[in-house]
Amino acid sequence: MKLISVAIDGPVGAGKSTIARTAAERLNYIYCDTGALYRAVGLYCHRNGVDMNDPSAIAVSMGNINADIRLVDGVQRIFLNGEDVSDEIRLPEISMAASAVSAVPAVRSALLGLQREIAEKNSVIMDGRDIGTVVLPNADVKIFLTAKPEIRAKRRYGELIAKGKDVTFEEVLNDLNQRDYNDSHRAAAPLRQAADAVLADTSELDFGQSVDLVCGLIKERL
């Protein structure tokens, strides 16, 4: 049976993780949230006071980091040096840390092999910032998932409030805009739509409609 690889890229707050996870369940593929790996690295650096403006310090810290993805009761969990950090990596301050470490070539190189290994062994839907352009350039299907900044910020704000986080919509929107700029302007594998990726804008769609759109695009291209 031929293994299928689906690459879903897009900016922060586009719903990539939840949409990709649900689509993978529906299509019986493995889901891989690559952004969570960078968040784990960012969490380690944040915890240990690593200077986020010093790429060399971040690169050195990789020698002390073991980040991996495991399925626990059928659900993807992210582990940092053996500790399940799946919830902590979603905090706003870790989002900024993830953006900083993801710009460091040594970090991207260290995590690249793990991501490709997952795709080599499974039919996979993998989401991130550079899946279709760098990680899986030969993916069978490539989708660039996006939505208007205000829509993405509103969604992320709702998620954080539901988790009891003390944030304002303005803080979430400012954080999102800053991450958009950082991700699209970094030297190492910047966020951009692959030439052969289809654009999927979910600004006017609810979650169910967004999943239907992605699943439809995957089936159409296969």
Side-chain angles (χ1 to χ4, degrees):
M1 179 178 176
K2 182 182 183 301
L3 296 179
I4 301 298
S5 58
V6 179
I8 299 181
D9 291 306
V12 62
K16 296 187 303 298
S17 297
T18 51
I19 292 171
R21 181 185 296 109
T22 305
E25 292 173 355
R26 185 181 296 183
L27 299 172
N28 199 30
Y29 291 176
I30 294 294
Y31 165 65
C32 180
D33 175 9
T34 63
L37 295 172
Y38 290 98
R39 286 174 175 271
V41 174
L43 175 60
Y44 177 90
C45 292
H46 179 77
R47 283 179 172 179
N48 291 275
V50 177
D51 185 354
M52 296 299 183
N53 296 311
D54 186 350
S56 62
I58 295 174
V60 168
S61 72
M62 289 302 296
N64 301 316
I65 296 174
N66 177 25
D68 66 314
I69 297 173
R70 305 178 196 172
L71 287 178
V72 179
D73 296 328
V75 178
Q76 177 185 275
R77 306 294 290 179
I78 307 302
F79 286 77
L80 172 62
N81 295 337
E83 175 191 357
D84 187 339
V85 295
S86 304
D87 296 326
E88 191 173 355
I89 60 172
R90 300 299 171 185
L91 297 174
E93 59 268 29
I94 306 306
S95 293
M96 293 306 295
S99 183
V101 303
S102 66
V104 179
V107 176
R108 307 199 72 84
S109 177
L111 297 181
L112 182 61
L114 173 60
Q115 296 167 30
R116 286 180 172 168
E117 183 179 345
I118 293 171
E120 288 170 0
K121 296 179 179 178
N122 307 276
S123 284
V124 63
I125 295 182
M126 188 175 293
D127 77 283
R129 300 289 190 278
D130 64 343
I131 308 305
T133 54
V134 176
V135 180
L136 301 177
N138 297 315
D140 298 287
V141 181
K142 297 179 184 180
I143 297 172
F144 192 84
L145 190 68
T146 190
K148 297 175 182 176
E150 293 77 15
I151 298 294
R152 290 186 281 126
K154 182 179 179 180
R155 293 170 180 171
R156 180 56 61 87
Y157 174 70
E159 293 172 358
L160 293 171
I161 291 299
K163 293 179 180 179
K165 305 304 179 185
D166 183 19
V167 295
T168 66
F169 173 77
E170 289 72 20
E171 289 173 339
V172 175
L173 179 59
N174 289 338
D175 173 70
L176 181 145
N177 285 330
Q178 185 61 54
R179 285 204 64 190
D180 279 353
Y181 181 86
N182 292 348
D183 291 343
S184 60
H185 287 78
R186 67 189 180 209
L191 169 67
R192 61 182 176 83
Q193 181 178 343
D196 52 348
V198 60
L199 179 67
D201 191 321
T202 66
S203 296
E204 306 301 324
L205 305 180
D206 62 22
F207 177 72
Q209 292 169 328
S210 298
V211 174
D212 288 342
L213 172 63
V214 168
C215 288
L217 289 171
I218 293 172
K219 293 176 180 178
E220 177 184 306
R221 276 152 183 74
L222 293 178

